[in-house]
Amino acid sequence: MERHMLLDTYQKLEKRLARLDFTSLWQGFVKRSYALYTDESMCICGELLPKPDYFYGNTAIEYDGKMIAIWMLKPEQVETDEDLDKLAAKLVHEMFHVMQMENGESRFPHDLELIAFPLDPELVALTNRENDLLEGYADRMTSDDNVSETDRQKQLGLDAITILAKIAEIRSAMRTLSDGATINAWRAETIEGVAEYVGFKSLRQLNSELAAREVSVYVTNLRKATEALDHRRHSYYAGLLLSSLADTAGIDFDRSFASEKTLWEFIEEQVLASQDISMTRKLTLTDEELEKAHAIVDMEKTRREEKLASFQAKFPLKKPVQASICGYDPMNIMRVGDFLLSTSFLMIDQEGEKHRMFGDHLIRMKPGDFWNIEALYEAN
């Protein structure tokens, strides 16, 4: 049954991918090789083979001497035609990561720094204000006004410039308030948000009605990520909407992957050049905005403390080590003080020997350090 699902899904995806105009999604973009896999098997190039042990998650990875996209397939992802359209778009997202890597992309976020992003209510309030602007744009993206498409796009372009100018003021304040910690969120937007945008454009080619409905899902996910203070997950949807805003406003962001500037830095540079914006004006947050932000921060602090307590109860034995982190699942790690909690996958380098660690693990990092480990904790 599992092998039949792999092959059947692969064939259905091939038909969808054949309909896409990859070059219109991104200059120079072409379809990349990909593999669908389950716990035991994979399907690549229409052939069923055993799954390599090192396949993990949904990503871009080296296989047989070249980069390919991989996707772990689950039955609930392929129940309807719309499911298959969305899965094809997700594969395009991963194929875009292949293109990024093949072209020397270097703007990857430092995830172990990103999970230590300041828990500051003012930063959360500013993010919520930005979310309001992004949601307003998303509503305009899918509005059905009784105007010609030409007039609608012209107005949308003017609106996009205005929204980006307001976001520029917000992000300038956040950069200062966070002492530059925002750079890793912006890097994540550059890597994941742009890939999400390319995937969204592919979905629009396959099923425009479904793509329009998905926009509201992106906004919901944006809000949920803010409430969870999950900056990496937030970057997927903020980066998507910022990319769309930039395209709509006629702003050119680097498409060669050679620059060290992030997506946002490209946008900001061009917005500042065309708009009269004060980057020094202090933004005033309302009592309501701050009250909401404080509630989010307090709730998340409590959740993290409770999670740490549960891990400390599960892993009471401290084992001092000389080791460093060399691999991780960025979506499933949490930092609480100098403790690192991993619930999925972690790889450590211990005296030159690499060890893979799956499932739940509790680690004590050296104080203030993002990579070097002081101790591992084990169960009784």
Side-chain angles (χ1 to χ4, degrees):
M1 173 66 82
E2 182 180 276
R3 289 166 64 85
H4 172 76
M5 177 184 70
L6 280 173
L7 185 57
D8 181 62
T9 302
Y10 190 93
Q11 291 168 346
K12 288 175 179 175
L13 289 172
E14 280 290 278
K15 292 178 181 178
R16 285 166 168 80
L17 294 169
R19 289 162 46 198
L20 294 175
D21 179 0
F22 278 85
T23 303
S24 71
L25 302 177
W26 192 272
Q27 184 179 348
F29 190 28
V30 296
K31 178 187 170 191
R32 260 50 179 198
S33 296
Y34 65 97
L36 305 177
Y37 73 97
T38 56
D39 289 337
E40 302 294 332
S41 306
M42 76 167 176
C43 185
I44 183 167
C45 300
E47 184 179 2
L48 290 167
L49 297 168
K51 184 211 81 170
D53 290 340
Y54 61 89
F55 274 25
Y56 186 82
N58 309 314
T59 188
I61 197 169
E62 186 173 336
Y63 172 76
D64 199 22
K66 70 175 184 178
M67 297 299 299
I68 66 167
I70 64 171
W71 190 272
M72 185 170 188
L73 191 62
K74 299 175 182 178
E76 62 267 22
Q77 296 171 333
V78 293
E79 292 175 349
T80 68
D81 284 341
E82 286 195 349
D83 288 340
L84 287 160
D85 289 340
K86 286 192 278 191
L87 180 55
K90 287 180 169 65
L91 267 174
V92 169
H93 173 120
E94 303 304 340
M95 288 179 187
F96 189 75
H97 285 328
V98 173
M99 184 181 185
Q100 288 171 321
M101 293 182 182
E102 288 177 344
N103 285 275
E105 177 63 82
S106 64
R107 297 165 292 182
F108 295 95
H110 302 161
D111 292 298
L112 298 181
E113 296 177 20
L114 185 56
I115 59 173
F117 196 88
L119 295 175
D120 186 326
E122 286 190 47
L123 287 170
V124 175
L126 288 167
T127 301
N128 275 328
R129 187 177 287 189
E130 178 185 294
N131 289 347
D132 290 341
L133 292 166
L134 292 174
E135 182 173 5
Y137 170 70
D139 289 343
R140 292 176 177 85
M141 281 175 68
T142 56
S143 64
D144 189 20
D145 300 328
N146 293 321
V147 297
S148 70
E149 181 62 18
T150 301
D151 288 343
R152 194 179 79 83
Q153 287 299 327
K154 183 178 179 180
Q155 183 58 50
L156 197 56
L158 294 172
D159 291 343
I161 286 288
T162 301
I163 291 169
L164 287 171
K166 291 178 180 178
I167 290 175
E169 288 189 321
I170 292 170
R171 290 200 164 198
S172 176
M174 291 181 69
R175 179 197 282 123
T176 301
L177 189 59
S178 71
D179 196 23
T182 48
I183 188 62
N184 280 308
W186 299 350
R187 287 175 180 145
E189 289 169 355
T190 305
I191 301 299
E192 298 294 352
V194 174
E196 195 72 10
Y197 179 52
V198 172
F200 166 70
K201 291 204 296 181
S202 71
L203 182 60
R204 199 160 51 190
Q205 287 187 17
L206 292 172
N207 188 332
S208 59
E209 290 184 5
L210 174 60
R213 296 201 304 274
E214 283 294 291
V215 171
S216 65
V217 177
Y218 300 146
V219 172
T220 298
N221 291 341
L222 186 79
R223 298 286 191 185
K224 287 181 177 178
T226 301
E227 290 171 4
L229 301 183
D230 187 340
H231 301 284
R232 195 176 206 282
R233 198 174 300 276
H234 184 272
S235 74
Y236 281 66
Y237 310 107
L240 183 159
L241 292 168
L242 286 170
S243 298
S244 180
L245 274 162
D247 267 350
T248 301
I251 289 175
D252 182 35
F253 49 94
D254 181 60
R255 297 177 188 270
S256 68
F257 308 106
S259 176
E260 294 184 3
K261 290 181 182 176
T262 62
L263 166 70
W264 173 248
E265 287 169 319
F266 268 106
I267 294 172
E268 180 184 52
E269 185 177 78
Q270 293 179 64
V271 169
L272 292 180
S274 65
Q275 300 289 305
D276 182 19
I277 301 171
S278 171
M279 303 302 281
T280 58
R281 180 170 65 90
K282 182 173 174 59
L283 297 180
T284 302
L285 293 163
T286 67
D287 290 343
E288 184 180 355
E289 286 177 313
L290 287 170
E291 184 180 347
K292 180 179 179 182
H294 273 284
I296 289 172
V297 171
D298 290 345
M299 187 178 298
E300 183 58 19
K301 280 182 177 179
T302 299
R303 186 185 76 85
R304 293 183 187 189
E305 288 165 1
E306 289 175 350
K307 188 80 170 178
L308 174 60
S310 72
F311 269 58
Q312 288 174 321
K314 186 176 181 180
F315 305 109
L317 302 180
K318 182 178 180 180
K319 177 184 174 184
V321 295
Q322 290 291 326
S324 60
I325 294 173
C326 57
Y328 51 84
D329 176 353
M331 305 300 280
N332 292 288
I333 49 175
M334 176 192 296
R335 181 144 184 165
V336 186
D338 286 322
F339 287 98
L340 192 74
L341 289 66
S342 173
T343 58
S344 177
F345 165 74
L346 202 63
M347 185 184 290
I348 67 170
D349 187 323
Q350 190 172 359
E351 298 177 351
E353 194 172 320
K354 290 182 170 54
H355 301 275
R356 292 185 176 194
M357 303 162 63
F358 293 94
D360 290 348
H361 288 279
L362 177 63
I363 292 174
R364 178 91 183 209
M365 307 300 292
K366 290 185 176 179
D369 201 304
F370 298 113
W371 298 97
N372 293 302
I373 300 170
E374 183 177 280
L376 303 176
Y377 289 80
E378 298 176 347
N380 284 319

